[in-house]
Amino acid sequence: MDQKKQKETLILAAKAGKIMMKSGAEIYRVEDTIERICLACGVDHVNVFAMPTGIFVSINNEDQDDTVTYIKRIKSSETDLTKISKVNHFSREFTTTDMTIEEGLKILDEIDNGWKYPFWMRAIAASLVTGCFSVIFGGGALDFCVAFIVGACCYLLSRFLEKYEINFFIRGFICTAFAAACALVAAASIPGVAYAHIITGCIMLFVPGVAITNSIRDFLSGDMLSGLARMTEAVLIGISLAAGAGVVIKLWAILGGVVL
């Protein structure tokens, strides 16, 4: 294999791994996908080390002495199970057909920049999640209506902060603090509204459920470092969510508001 094809193979495999990693895939799935793509391109030996913040790939052939290494940095992540499914389908198709590397890169670009649900649809979904969780935790019809509106506002605020690359800890703190303030004002203004149910529903909107699940799966797969990193991230996000709501509730009580 010539040096140009080695480089193209590494770029293709690392790009597939990056899309999966930043979309919330497990470590073992990312490493397996990268390895399969490299082997399908005629590489004899592949070594992959993936983490939530980066991917390291080294390849070499038996007829060559030099090992080629490629590093892909991952700076942001979001949960997108559709992209993970599409990359999985792409890897199976790439390894079982005569697809070229150029065609593979084009498909991965389409997956990475592909269609997403409209912003208004995601805002409505966030509102429904918030409202339904408020009911699950004991709220009534009024709590659902208030949580529906507050949930939409929290989602808009989160996207606004994300646009300016505010880190996840501060973003979670601000969003839950805003939700708590809105819930307390609503409870004080509208008879029959319980602020606790609204705050709980809003917090559930930002709980890192996928990160917690993947950290456990990484631990079970033997990827201790990645599992610890994801679990630490999930714990820090949880602390920021609780701190944001707790600070506002405490300030509300200090300023003379009624907290039941």
Side-chain angles (χ1 to χ4, degrees), residues 12-252:
L12 175 68
K15 186 175 183 62
K18 180 181 179 180
I19 294 173
M20 296 184 73
M21 184 69 75
K22 72 178 185 179
S23 299
E26 306 91 325
I27 295 297
Y28 77 87
R29 191 187 302 273
V30 174
E31 292 180 343
D32 181 68
T33 299
I34 293 174
E35 184 174 350
R36 288 177 182 275
I37 290 175
C38 290
L39 293 175
C41 291
V43 176
D44 295 325
H45 302 288
V46 185
N47 286 296
V48 185
F49 179 69
M51 292 184 62
T53 55
I55 298 173
F56 305 82
V57 187
S58 293
I59 63 174
N60 71 302
N61 288 334
E62 294 179 351
D63 58 344
Q64 296 176 329
D65 296 329
D66 294 336
T67 298
V68 181
T69 302
Y70 189 81
I71 300 173
K72 196 72 171 179
R73 181 74 165 89
I74 300 173
K75 296 183 179 180
S76 62
S77 62
E78 61 178 0
T79 302
D80 194 331
L81 302 182
T82 300
K83 286 186 178 180
I84 297 175
S85 176
K86 287 183 177 180
V87 175
N88 277 333
H89 177 74
F90 160 77
S91 66
R92 288 191 293 269
E93 185 178 1
F94 184 83
T95 55
T96 56
T97 63
D98 296 329
M99 184 186 301
T100 64
I101 294 177
E102 291 75 15
E103 292 172 342
L105 287 171
K106 183 178 180 181
I107 292 174
L108 289 177
D109 285 334
E110 292 175 354
I111 294 174
D112 196 20
N113 303 315
W115 181 86
K116 292 183 178 181
Y117 288 104
F119 184 80
W120 63 267
M121 189 179 294
R122 285 178 281 165
I124 292 176
S127 300
L128 289 172
V129 168
T130 306
C132 290
F133 269 114
S134 69
V135 174
I136 290 173
F137 285 101
L142 280 176
D143 298 323
F144 175 88
C145 294
V146 175
F148 186 92
I149 297 172
V150 175
C153 295
C154 286
Y155 181 79
L156 294 174
L157 177 60
S158 175
R159 288 304 179 189
F160 174 78
L161 296 174
E162 186 178 350
K163 179 181 178 181
Y164 292 95
E165 300 182 350
I166 305 297
N167 68 66
F168 64 86
F169 188 91
I170 297 177
R171 191 164 67 241
F173 181 92
I174 293 175
C175 289
T176 52
F178 173 78
C182 293
L184 289 168
V185 171
S189 306
I190 306 173
V193 172
Y195 72 90
H197 302 144
I198 300 170
I199 295 175
T200 304
C202 292
I203 288 177
M204 292 302 296
L205 181 63
F206 299 101
V207 169
V210 173
I212 296 173
T213 302
N214 283 345
S215 68
I216 296 173
R217 297 188 68 171
D218 289 340
F219 279 126
L220 295 177
S221 301
D223 298 309
M224 300 300 176
L225 189 60
S226 299
L228 183 61
R230 280 179 163 164
M231 183 60 74
T232 302
E233 179 185 359
V235 170
L236 288 175
I237 292 175
I239 291 174
S240 70
L241 299 180
V247 167
V248 170
I249 293 173
K250 186 63 177 179
L251 288 175
W252 179 269

